[in-house]
Amino acid sequence: MSADTATHHDSASPLVGRTAELELLDKVIDQLGHGAPPFVDITGAAGIGKSRLMTELCLRARRRGVTVLRGRAAEYERHLPFHPFADAFADLDGRLPHAAPDLLDAVSPVLGGRGPGPSSPGAVPANADRFGLHRSVAGLLAHVCRPGGLVVALDDVHWADPASLELLDHLVRHPVPGPVVLVVARRDRQTPAALTAALTRGVDTEAVLRIALAPLAEQECVEGLAPDLPRGRAAQLYAAGEGNPLYFLSLLHAHREGAARRPTPSSASSWAEDSVGELPTGLGALLLNELTPLTASQHRTLEAIAVLGDHAVSPVIRRATGRTDAGLDDDLDTLARRDLVRPGPNGRWVLRHPVIRTLVHESTAARRRVEIHRAAAAELARTGAPAVEQARHVEQSVTTWDPQAYAVLREAAEQTASTAPTSCAHWLGAALRLLPDTGEHGPERRDLMLRRARALGVAGGLRESRDLLHTVISTAGPDEAGVRTSAVVLCALTERHLGRYPEAIALLRRELSRQPELSPSDRVSIGLELSSSAPHNASYPQMRGEVARTLADARSLGNELGEAGALAVAAFGEAYEGGVAAASSYAAQAAGLLDGLPDDDLTALCEPLGRLGWAEAFLGRFTDAERHADRGLGIARRSGQVYLLPLLLLCKAHVRIQTCRLPSACELADEAEDIARGIGSSELLAFVLANKAQVRIAASAPGDPEALAAAEEAVASMGPSDNWRASMAWCMLGYAALTGGDPHRARDALLRAGGDDLRGLQPSMRPLLSELLVTAALFTGDVASASAWSERAREDAERLGLPVQRASAMRSAAQLALHGGDPAGAATLLAEAAAECARSGAVFWEARSLLLAAPAMVAAGFAARGAAMWEQGHRLATGGGAGLLVGLAEMTRPSVPSSPSPAPPWLASLTAREREVAELVAEGLTNQAVAARLFLSPRTVETHLSRVFRKTDVATRAGLAALMARS
């Protein structure tokens, strides 16, 4: 709203005290876009002054030319999606047309339509998804912030709807770029735990500035709010109110109205007794005293405003109260003069404070509330308001079967299904309560329950979804086989997301045992889901038979979709296990079928598209993998299959790591994390975080703490599981620890993932993971273990025959060659590794191989070639945003003399690592300092140094320094 319509946000009361808080807020405004925190969290008890402080912030921001958007969540509108954001965006006053049309379309669920009252979501684009919507809202805020900055102030967010809470969580973790600050005000004890956790994480990372409001000091309170009151009486009122300004003002009002003689609590400590919700009893009594002088019609008008909330506009109030225009105007004028109501935006009326609304609402007779809601529903229906706006009033006023009300609730659910699934599930639950529980309506009830289970699943209510699906399964009749099969498959998928693989497999096998009742197509659907348990719980070899049966059933039916799905599962399983020939054949067949089918036919095959993409990525077919992941993403978004997006996003991110396109890989991993946190599956989140750690390791400088933090959270989220996703989480923890300079932790994590023989690791990735163990072993001076891991990597790579894995085995062997003093042999191996990677398009590994080869080439006497390899590797690393490799380049930059002279024999006998140690010791560094510089352990430095002394035939550090200086 504009400054002229801000009165309903408490700007009428004076601001008292809060000097320190205002200084902090002034600093935030002055430093917008230049180091100011992107989020401010104002907390405190009811009536403590949060709204008044926020109002002052908004006024000061406007005076500086900053755009201000202000919205408020409401206690009784918690199922209107994006309510506080829609309220805030109503302040844009025609500035939106300057935004790009596609951006406006994307954020339409938040901007909403324009019915009676504030904006609220209307029809949602068919391809909308709530996580894309979050990014679009951030884009809109970035657009609006130009040129003078933007403050988005959201009040009472402890009452925010789930969709708004999810959007806030996104904006905390991904601050809007530019001069933008979001300010929220909330009550601590009533704030949902998820929002509190998100804001606390932001405080820890300094992305959130928290301002906790304490009670006012007595002098500030009395002098600022009651300077004309006798000192003794003012002190009594302050003591009763304990520094809460709203309570003090209410006591003051009662005193001046001659009501102070009425019994009031002697201390705010008694507020909680007999309270309405969390409202203080003493405060409630004082505020209700204000209503005593009202006439019956004024009281009815006030009740209507409290119950209607955002729909408290004159036409709806008039219908709810039965007043004439003139009579209603008289009532509103009187209520406004008594400062009980204030004009708000878009012609609506609001009560002076949310506390007053709660008191009036709860003291209104239940039958009267029903009448008001019924009148509001009728008026909104008459004016053609969106179903989402009508639904709240319908739900509160209709308790018996009413086809028209039922239709409104179903339409509201459809309007919110893709962007606010919690609201969708709520409206479907309300529709189920209306629908008679009779045999006639049984199939429709089960269809609604199935829809509600889907909404709950994507909203994070996995357990409630599973319970509802069990009800559908147990009550479906013999003529509802399709509904039962859909429920069984969805229930198994939900069990998978909960990490309950044995339960998922048992459910599916039990359903397959009902073969006489199962249609062949149902058997294919169940067989595909059962096959999907590999390699998460059952190994793929255990599932080969089931995959083969499903494939045969699909082919016998001429079911191309089922055939393509089974082939994709087979391709993924064989690729995971390292069966390269079989995987290649299955992948080619699956791609041939899927590529020939139109998108509309593939709605049920998004997960197989993801599995095919991952299989192709494991096989080094990066272009095909990304193409199939992209197609799956488009179909999953359009069809609302949100739970499949992380699988597809991470497949694409994995490809972009391999092909060295790290900035976009980071964006994909971040989006996958947003979705996984929204779905609420700890196992899915662990898988996402493990992949995010891999991306962060590659994209960041060595030792990046964010990469290690993501890997640690992945392990913690996975818990005691030991399946594929758990092993991946532990592997990424090992990878992050190794790049952070902790080889011991790296080795322990990798062995925890795969066991002493690494048989618990993904066979098709073992050479790459063995390379990490080789590096860790050499860092710790365990040459025997390094040799064993290198040999195992060679054997696994030969068996696989995949270029990236062969290159990895060559790098492992090269590390041993360098350690053993054979730079020429190491250089040859690393050059071959770079060529292998280049042939397959694995640019990241090509660059790594080149950067490792460069110093080996120089040490072997091929300085010019070494320099060229370093230049090429450095160019690939910087062009791809690979911070890890850029850091490696700095450590391996070759130093090529302009006129090279023959090196002394003793110098040529040193390995590259021994020469590095010798040079640093000659500079005067201690063993500990050398270890820190080279990311080695002190013991490893001692080992290298002893070899240097033996090869150079000197016995002291000073002698070595002199020898190096002469050379």
Side-chain angles (χ1 to χ4, degrees), residues 69 89-90 92-114 120-128 132-144 146 419:
L69 306 181
F89 282 133
L92 285 171
D93 295 333
R95 278 169 285 177
L96 283 178
H98 299 291
D102 56 342
L103 182 60
L104 293 179
D105 287 343
V107 299
S108 60
V110 175
L111 297 177
R114 295 289 189 263
S120 60
V124 176
N127 62 347
L133 175 62
H134 299 165
R135 295 188 299 278
S136 296
V137 170
L140 180 63
L141 294 176
H143 170 81
V144 172
R146 297 186 293 267
T419 55

Side-chain angles (χ1 to χ4, degrees), residues 362-449:
E362 297 305 313
S363 63
T364 301
R367 186 173 62 181
R368 174 69 185 134
R369 291 203 299 264
V370 169
E371 292 172 356
I372 295 169
H373 283 299
R374 184 178 295 120
E379 180 64 19
L380 291 170
R382 185 188 69 80
T383 58
V388 173
E389 290 192 32
Q390 299 180 48
R392 181 175 78 89
H393 301 293
V394 167
E395 179 190 14
Q396 297 297 323
S397 61
V398 180
T399 56
T400 59
W401 173 235
D402 181 331
Q404 185 176 353
Y406 173 75
V408 169
L409 293 170
R410 286 202 60 161
E411 186 179 353
E414 290 172 8
Q415 288 180 356
T416 54
S418 59
T419 55
T422 303
S423 295
C424 172
H426 176 81
W427 301 131
L428 288 171
L432 278 167
R433 288 191 294 274
L434 276 188
L435 189 66
D437 191 2
T438 63
E440 176 189 357
H441 293 99
E444 190 168 3
R445 287 189 66 82
R446 282 180 282 279
D447 177 67
L448 278 187
M449 285 191 281

Side-chain angles (χ1 to χ4, degrees), residues 116-436:
S119 306
S120 60
V124 176
N127 62 347
D129 77 80
R130 69 194 203 266
F131 304 103
L133 175 62
H134 299 165
R135 295 188 299 278
S136 296
V137 170
L140 180 63
L141 294 176
H143 170 81
V144 172
C145 79
R146 297 186 293 267
L150 174 67
V151 171
V152 181
L154 303 178
D155 212 347
D156 292 329
V157 296
H158 50 277
W159 287 327
D161 59 277
S164 293
L165 293 174
E166 202 169 55
L167 176 52
L168 282 170
D169 178 80
H170 173 86
L171 295 172
V172 171
R173 289 184 291 107
H174 305 289
V176 179
V180 180
V181 62
L182 274 83
V183 186
V184 298
R186 62 188 179 91
R187 300 178 194 170
D188 285 309
R189 290 195 298 166
Q190 292 177 259
T191 303
L195 178 59
T196 300
L199 291 170
T200 301
R201 284 197 305 269
V203 171
D204 293 340
T205 61
E206 299 184 349
V208 174
L209 169 65
R210 177 165 291 164
I211 298 177
L213 297 188
L216 291 174
E218 180 177 350
Q219 183 176 356
E220 289 179 332
C221 190
V222 171
E223 292 181 359
L225 298 176
D228 58 333
L229 203 64
R231 191 69 182 176
R233 185 55 178 156
Q236 290 177 343
L237 297 184
Y238 175 82
E242 289 190 349
N244 185 293
L246 178 62
Y247 194 20
F248 182 86
L249 285 169
S250 300
L251 287 164
L252 182 62
H253 175 81
H255 171 77
R256 287 175 171 160
E257 292 288 321
R261 292 184 299 277
R262 296 191 181 108
T264 57
S266 61
S267 168
S269 62
S270 62
W271 287 3
E273 298 172 11
D274 302 320
S275 60
V276 180
E278 286 201 357
L279 297 182
T281 300
L283 177 58
L286 287 167
L287 292 172
L288 287 174
N289 282 342
E290 291 189 49
L291 312 185
T292 304
L294 301 181
T295 65
S297 66
Q298 291 164 358
H299 207 100
R300 287 172 64 85
T301 299
L302 194 68
E303 288 176 338
I305 293 172
V307 172
L308 291 171
D310 287 341
H311 293 127
V313 292
S314 293
V316 185
I317 299 171
R318 184 168 53 249
R319 182 152 186 169
T321 58
R323 298 286 281 159
T324 63
D325 287 348
L328 180 59
D329 288 344
D330 288 343
D331 287 348
L332 291 172
D333 286 344
T334 300
L335 294 172
R337 281 197 306 272
R338 300 187 67 86
D339 197 25
L340 286 168
V341 301
R342 296 173 180 175
N346 300 314
R348 62 183 158 119
W349 291 86
V350 297
L351 282 93
R352 182 177 79 232
H353 195 282
V355 167
I356 300 178
R357 184 188 180 195
T358 299
L359 286 167
V360 175
H361 186 284
E362 297 305 313
S363 63
T364 301
R367 186 173 62 181
R368 174 69 185 134
R369 291 203 299 264
V370 169
E371 292 172 356
I372 295 169
H373 283 299
R374 184 178 295 120
E379 180 64 19
L380 291 170
R382 185 188 69 80
T383 58
V388 173
E389 290 192 32
Q390 299 180 48
R392 181 175 78 89
H393 301 293
V394 167
E395 179 190 14
Q396 297 297 323
S397 61
V398 180
T399 56
T400 59
W401 173 235
D402 181 331
Q404 185 176 353
Y406 173 75
V408 169
L409 293 170
R410 286 202 60 161
E411 186 179 353
E414 290 172 8
Q415 288 180 356
T416 54
S418 59
T419 55
T422 303
S423 295
C424 172
H426 176 81
W427 301 131
L428 288 171
L432 278 167
R433 288 191 294 274
L434 276 188
L435 189 66

